[in-house]
Structure formats: structure tokens, C-alpha cells
Amino acid sequence: MVRRATSAMTASVVALVVMILFILSGFIAGLRTTVMHAAVSENWIVLSRGTNNEPGSFISREQYEIIKSRSQIETLPGNEALVSPEIITGFNPLPDAPLSKSIFTFVRGFYPIGYKVHRDMHIESGRWPAQGTAEMAVGSKLAARFPNLAIGSDFRFGRRIWKIVGVYSDGDSARESEVVADLSLLSQDIHVANGFEVLHVVLRPGMEDDFKKSLTTDSRLRVDTMSEQEFYARQTDFIDKLRTLGLAVAMILAVGSVFGAMNTMYSAVSRRANEIGVLRVLGFSRMNVLASFVLESVLLAAAGGILGEILGVIVTFATGLHSQLMDVGPLIFRFQLTTGAFISGLLAATVIGAAGGLLPAWRASRMAVTESLRAV
């Protein structure tokens, strides 16, 4: 009974660590997926030189016209270049509510060509804003989170009253946390004159290197360009910081789990000294004894890991994490259970078991045969 109790306690501590890692992995996976799904293959982004985010950039109209004329850019049948000039500014969906009940996201202004450049954007209900009118379309996640942004609602933003005319989706990306509006009217409200903040372009297949070289060698341009995949991958740096913080907490708990496993295995070695002696007399080597105790510790921790993942799934569904919309900064995202979360949880449990069982197993393997057989 003593052995069962200590083993159960050790497995429970391991389960707690794995459950925390499991839930943390779900948060991180949801955030990362939301950011990276904004990237579209063959789409590139152009920013002013030295900037690493869209709102902090500025590209003049002259630069826009030069870039728009590049032969590497894909065109529509009417020879219109697939270049979307855009401006982005902050947006508070609940301007009259306390800050604790609201989030700050973005409203993105672009021309109708933008809907063809961001070709994963699709209207779910209503329609897109008409050019030259004070109308907005709301991302599906933002609309689900804030009922006041329903179609037909009026919303005061800047110096105008805007009409909500549509709800759109974008492949579960970060753009579903935004609002889109006509660029011309939005630029008047936020006073962005004679230019834009960012360009999104669709390149012809195989023209990526030529396009990048043509921009960097043109003395009239002071811009940086990169693929959307690369740009949004850089935007996930803050997610890695959150992950590091969560892992630090999990590591502290993991250290306790290692000591728990170590204590359990030391107790097992002390109680089974006679068994160790009999094994050695029968011809089992020191390495056989060491491996058997390490394996026992790993299996005990693995059982705790499986229990932790089961608890993680139960907590996820019991609290509604799998269906809730959560936000971090301007991003609204959903919790995601991934295969990687299950694998990382089991790997963590295995490492804890191996680390906790190694020293007791070493002691068992070095025990003298005569000392072991005294208890027989």
C-alpha cells in the first residue's frame, strides 16, 4: 500500500505538469495559427525601410506608383496590377465601455482591389463596403465577440457615423479580428495624406527574387519587402515570449516532479534490496538492474503523462476553452488541441521519469551482492 500511494502521488504530480503544458500548447497553437493564416502564398508585403509592423510604416504615392509598375507583379485581365495600398489604425469596438471590457484591434482601409489581393477573405453575410461610402465590414471573430457590430448597426468612428454592412471570414486568420473600410474616407479621418502605410502585392510565380532586387536597387525607393509568410512569422515573436513564460512555470513544477519520482524510486530500491541481490546472483548485470529501475520510473511518469493529457482534455471541454473566443492584444483566437500538444506532453513526462529514476537506478546497480542478500 505504501508503494502504491507513493507511486500514485508521483504520477499525480507529473500529471499536473503535463496538464499545464498541454493547455499552454493549446493557447500557443491557437495564437500561432491565427497569425500565420493571414499569410497567402505568392503574396508579398512592402514596408518603409527599417519598420517591422504595418501601422508604423509609410509609403508615398510616388513610391506606390513606381512599385505598382513592376513587371513581376501579377495583373488582372484588364491589366490592373494586384497591388493593395492600405492604411491601418486602432479600433475600439466598445468606445463607451470600461477598458477592462474591451480590446483594441485595427480597422484596415483599402480599395476594392484589396479583396482580390487578400483572396482568402470572403463575405459570410451582408456585403463588402461600397467605395466612397462610410461603410464597414467586420471580421467574423470580432463580430461574434461584440454584438454591437452586427450588420445594420451604426458605429461612430473618427468624425463619421459608419454603417456595418457585412461580416467576413479569412481562413481563421488575424484579419478576422479587424474591420475593413474604404481607404479614401478612412485616410481623411486619420489624416494620412499623400501616401499609405503598407502595400500587399501578388507576384508572378518565380519572380520573388527579381522583385526584391528591383526594389532594393532603385534609388527612388526606401522600402523593405518580404513574403507574407516571413512577415507574419516575425510577428509571432511575442507568442514565443508567452510560451517561454509558461514554460518557466512548468519547469518549476517539473523540478518538483523529478524530486518526487526520485524519492519514489529511492524508496523502491531500499524495499527491494533482496530482489536486486537475487537478480545479481542469477547473472543479471549492473546495467540490467539500472535499466530496469529507469524503465520503471519512465513508465510511472508516462502513466502520469497520459493522466495529465486526459485531465487537460476534460478541463478544456468542461470550461469551454475549445469554443471560447479569447484575445491577446489585438488578436482574437480560439484554443486548439494539436497532435504536437499530445506528443510534447508525453515527451515531458518521459524526461521527468528518466531524470527522477536515474540516480536511484545508479544506486541500485552499484549495490554489492553481499549487502543485497543480507535481507534474503
Side-chain angles (χ1 to χ4, degrees):
M1 290 302 297
V2 171
R3 181 179 174 191
R4 290 176 182 176
T6 56
S7 297
M9 290 179 64
T10 301
S12 298
V13 176
V14 174
L16 177 62
V17 175
V18 171
M19 184 183 72
I20 292 174
L21 283 173
F22 186 78
I23 294 176
L24 173 64
S25 297
F27 279 110
I28 297 303
L31 270 172
R32 193 179 300 278
T33 298
T34 296
V35 174
M36 291 306 300
H37 276 194
V40 180
S41 60
E42 297 176 359
N43 276 23
W44 279 54
I45 186 170
V46 181
L47 302 164
S48 58
R49 186 161 297 171
T51 57
N52 55 13
N53 60 78
E54 293 178 294
S57 173
F58 179 78
I59 296 175
S60 67
R61 288 186 179 272
E62 291 77 15
Q63 291 176 323
Y64 162 64
E65 293 296 338
I66 294 171
I67 295 170
K68 184 180 177 181
S69 65
R70 297 298 182 190
S71 61
Q72 299 90 354
I73 298 175
E74 189 67 80
T75 58
L76 294 173
N79 208 33
E80 182 181 10
L82 282 171
V83 180
S84 175
E86 301 173 10
I87 58 175
I88 302 97
T89 189
F91 180 82
N92 182 1
L94 289 175
D96 299 325
L99 293 178
S100 59
K101 295 184 178 181
S102 187
I103 66 172
F104 286 89
T105 181
F106 298 113
V107 56
R108 183 180 296 268
F110 49 61
Y111 297 130
I113 190 68
Y115 304 120
K116 300 184 184 299
V117 173
H118 302 292
R119 49 196 178 276
D120 288 340
M121 294 177 66
H122 301 286
I123 280 289
E124 287 190 351
S125 56
R127 59 177 175 82
W128 291 117
Q131 190 171 9
T133 60
E135 296 176 342
M136 289 179 168
V138 182
S140 57
K141 291 178 183 175
L142 195 63
R145 185 72 179 273
F146 297 97
N148 63 306
L149 299 178
I151 294 176
S153 302
D154 292 329
F155 189 89
R156 176 173 288 278
F157 180 78
R159 57 185 182 181
R160 303 176 195 274
I161 300 294
W162 300 75
K163 176 74 72 175
I164 308 298
V165 297
V167 174
Y168 67 89
S169 62
D170 187 51
D172 198 34
S173 79
R175 265 187 283 275
E176 292 183 4
S177 307
E178 299 179 350
V179 175
V180 298
D182 178 64
L183 188 150
S184 301
L185 291 182
L186 187 62
S187 63
Q188 295 173 18
D189 278 11
I190 65 175
H191 308 294
V192 177
N194 198 35
F196 314 98
E197 291 180 330
V198 62
L199 304 180
H200 286 263
V201 303
V202 182
L203 297 184
R204 300 179 188 273
M207 292 293 169
E208 294 83 2
D209 292 338
D210 288 344
F211 178 72
K212 187 172 184 177
K213 183 178 180 180
S214 71
L215 298 192
T216 55
T217 57
D218 194 326
S219 60
R220 298 170 295 176
L221 303 175
R222 293 186 58 81
V223 298
D224 292 325
T225 184
M226 66 191 76
S227 67
E228 286 189 351
Q229 284 93 340
E230 181 183 353
F231 173 75
Y232 288 112
R234 292 184 181 183
Q235 304 306 303
T236 62
D237 288 345
F238 80 97
I239 299 176
D240 294 332
K241 293 177 182 178
L242 289 176
R243 181 172 180 270
T244 301
L245 180 62
L247 287 176
V249 175
M251 282 296 296
I252 295 173
L253 294 175
V255 171
S257 300
V258 169
F259 281 108
M262 194 177 296
N263 182 65
T264 299
M265 296 311 298
Y266 269 126
S267 299
V269 171
S270 299
R271 289 193 304 270
R272 284 144 56 185
N274 56 341
E275 298 175 19
I276 296 171
V278 171
L279 289 174
R280 293 299 312 283
V281 168
L282 291 175
F284 287 90
S285 67
R286 295 182 186 273
M287 186 59 65
N288 295 144
V289 174
L290 185 145
S292 67
F293 276 95
V294 170
L295 181 59
E296 180 179 340
S297 180
V298 168
L299 290 175
L300 179 63
I306 294 172
L307 175 62
E309 293 187 343
I310 294 173
L311 289 175
V313 173
I314 293 173
V315 169
T316 297
F317 282 87
T319 59
L321 278 177
H322 69 293
S323 58
Q324 288 180 4
L325 288 174
M326 295 166 283
D327 60 89
V328 173
L331 296 176
I332 301 175
F333 67 99
R334 287 187 176 87
F335 182 91
Q336 287 191 353
L337 290 178
T338 63
T339 304
F342 288 92
I343 295 174
S344 62
L346 289 177
L347 286 176
T350 302
V351 170
I352 290 172
L358 187 59
L359 288 179
W362 177 259
R363 177 187 173 186
S365 68
R366 307 308 296 176
M367 190 176 293
V369 176
T370 54
E371 179 183 348
S372 302
L373 291 177
R374 287 174 185 173
V376 178

